[in-house]
Amino acid sequence: MPPRIVTLERHITEQQKLHPAASGRFTGLLWEFVLAVKMIAREVRRAGLIDILGAAGHQNVHGEKVQKLDEYAQERIAEAMLNSGSVCAMASEETPDMIPIPREAGRGHYVFLFDPLDGSSNIDVNISIGTIFSIHRKITPGEEGTLQDCLQPGYKQLAAGYVLYGSSVMLVFTTGKGVHGFTLDPTVGEFLLSHPDLRMPPRGRIYSINEGNTASWDPGTAAYVKHLKEKNEADGRPYTLRYVGTLVADFHRTLINGGIFMYPAAPKPKLRLLYEAAPMAMIAEQARGRASTGSGRILDIVPTELHQKVPLIVGSADDVADYETFVRKARPKT
Ligand code: P6P
């Protein structure tokens, strides 16, 4: 019996049957997002040719205005959400405030938070980049979405996911019923289920952190990383370091292979809570991993502003637990 090919569309339709209350508006929102992602993937593939086709901000050989990829990604996704008519509020890393949703676009019950192109500084060196999204349900009365609808804790997310524009284009997301990975088959333009029910191994052998910041780490992080580089009780072998510098790529490797990704508070937090740390934390927990600030659960943080930054320690449950132990032990005795 050949393996059953499950397209993303079939998977979402089957999942919708599991949610009898599902109105289909959520499904429609995902459809529109996936179309935007396919268009972004096409442009990412061509990014290396931008000098031939025309640099951002200028016209290409066809006389078309060429946009910076992150502007392009931002516009495609915002447009898709407006077309869905299912969104009442939207916010992005690229916009200081919430993105307005005109009344005529139609407003639904969903809040869409996203980082359109994570790691865009890696485009010029042809290193993987990504898109990250988080979906909440509207919690305030009335039709118009408000900042309060955006500032919800991560444990309330309806769905979270990312797209990795890597050696292949992968969409990985959860709606609270496990984590599923889809790989784009460019020959048919379909995302096919390639990684059903992804689980993080309880412990890995890879740590991921920017060692350039070693001099500024807090004592707990420094002691933990030193421990990983020395003999390891488990089997005596030190961990291996891998650091891409694109959160989506470093997280995806951690999801598949296990281990730990750290962007600690010192020298200063860099990753945004709403559309980077919280969606990755939901995915990690749904895959049996953990996501912590180093002393508390990411998903429990109640946001206070759209672009709030937090430390992110995410990965295999045992590795994250070890990190928290080192941080606790390093804390000054009161
Ligand atoms: P650093 C990319 O700029 C990003 O926002 C994340 O994708 C990535 O994990 C992080 O910054 C890398 O930051 O300071 O190590 O270059």
Side-chain angles (χ1 to χ4, degrees):
M1 182 75 171
R4 183 169 171 250
I5 294 178
V6 178
T7 63
L8 174 62
E9 280 69 15
R10 183 180 296 154
H11 174 84
I12 295 176
T13 306
E14 286 169 357
Q15 290 274 319
Q16 185 175 317
K17 289 174 193 150
L18 299 176
H19 301 270
S23 67
R25 300 295 295 271
F26 185 77
T27 303
L29 181 156
L30 282 179
W31 278 184
E32 292 291 344
F33 174 69
V34 168
L35 175 61
V37 162
K38 288 176 183 174
M39 294 164 78
I40 295 166
R42 179 196 60 201
E43 290 308 303
V44 168
R45 285 276 164 271
R46 300 195 318 177
L49 300 171
I50 213 77
D51 292 340
I52 303 169
L53 299 177
H58 303 285
Q59 292 199 339
N60 63 17
V61 291
H62 309 292
E64 298 152 350
K65 177 178 176 291
V66 177
Q67 288 176 295
K68 275 168 57 70
L69 263 186
D70 41 13
E71 288 167 15
Y72 180 84
Q74 163 76 14
E75 287 191 11
R76 290 298 71 72
I77 294 172
E79 203 174 73
M81 290 305 110
L82 294 181
N83 291 342
S84 77
S86 303
V87 168
C88 65
M90 234 193 303
S92 155
E93 182 185 42
E94 295 292 319
T95 52
D97 304 310
M98 288 168 61
I99 301 168
I101 298 181
R103 180 183 301 278
E104 57 275 15
R107 291 167 182 155
H109 304 295
Y110 300 110
V111 178
F112 195 84
L113 310 168
F114 63 108
D115 181 356
L117 214 60
D118 166 59
S120 44
S121 57
N122 280 326
I123 292 170
D124 298 342
V125 291
N126 201 17
I127 286 178
S128 299
I129 51 182
T131 295
I132 310 171
F133 68 92
S134 165
I135 302 175
H136 281 280
R137 185 183 301 283
K138 183 172 177 20
I139 52 172
T140 59
E143 188 190 79
E144 198 160 352
T146 66
L147 184 59
Q148 193 185 344
D149 291 309
C150 296
L151 300 182
Q152 298 184 57
Y155 69 84
K156 289 191 170 181
Q157 290 175 96
L158 283 179
Y162 60 82
V163 181
L164 177 59
Y165 308 99
S167 46
S168 58
V169 179
M170 271 199 77
L171 168 63
V172 175
F173 75 97
T174 179
T175 58
K177 295 211 175 302
V179 178
H180 307 287
F182 298 79
T183 301
L184 181 64
D185 177 341
T187 62
V188 292
E190 287 284 359
F191 277 102
L192 306 181
L193 181 63
S194 52
H195 298 71
D197 200 16
L198 278 164
R199 302 281 174 92
M200 271 192 193
R203 180 177 289 282
R205 300 214 60 80
I206 297 170
Y207 76 100
S208 187
I209 190 170
N210 184 338
E211 287 255 2
N213 296 326
T214 302
S216 317
W217 289 340
D218 58 280
T221 299
Y224 175 69
V225 172
K226 181 173 180 293
H227 159 73
L228 293 183
K229 294 159 93 166
E230 288 165 353
K231 291 293 173 198
N232 184 288
E233 292 85 29
D235 61 10
R237 287 183 300 131
Y239 278 35
T240 296
L241 170 64
R242 289 285 182 275
Y243 193 72
V244 178
T246 296
L247 171 61
V248 172
D250 283 317
F251 178 89
H252 186 69
R253 182 202 52 250
T254 306
L255 173 64
I256 303 294
N257 292 344
I260 187 167
F261 170 86
M262 296 164 275
Y263 208 103
K268 61 179 180 174
K270 177 178 185 182
L271 302 178
R272 272 55 170 223
L273 172 59
L274 283 187
Y275 40 78
E276 290 179 325
M280 292 317 205
M282 180 180 184
I283 295 166
E285 291 199 1
Q286 282 287 314
R288 307 285 195 280
R290 285 184 62 178
S292 166
T293 60
S295 54
R297 187 178 176 232
I298 289 284
L299 292 183
D300 289 339
I301 301 173
V302 179
T304 52
E305 53 182 85
L306 274 185
H307 303 290
Q308 174 175 350
K309 297 177 183 178
V310 292
L312 176 63
I313 312 299
V314 62
S316 297
D318 294 352
D319 288 310
V320 174
D322 287 353
Y323 177 91
E324 291 181 331
T325 302
F326 274 83
V327 167
R328 212 172 20 255
K329 285 181 179 168
R331 209 167 283 147
K333 302 286 176 280
T334 47

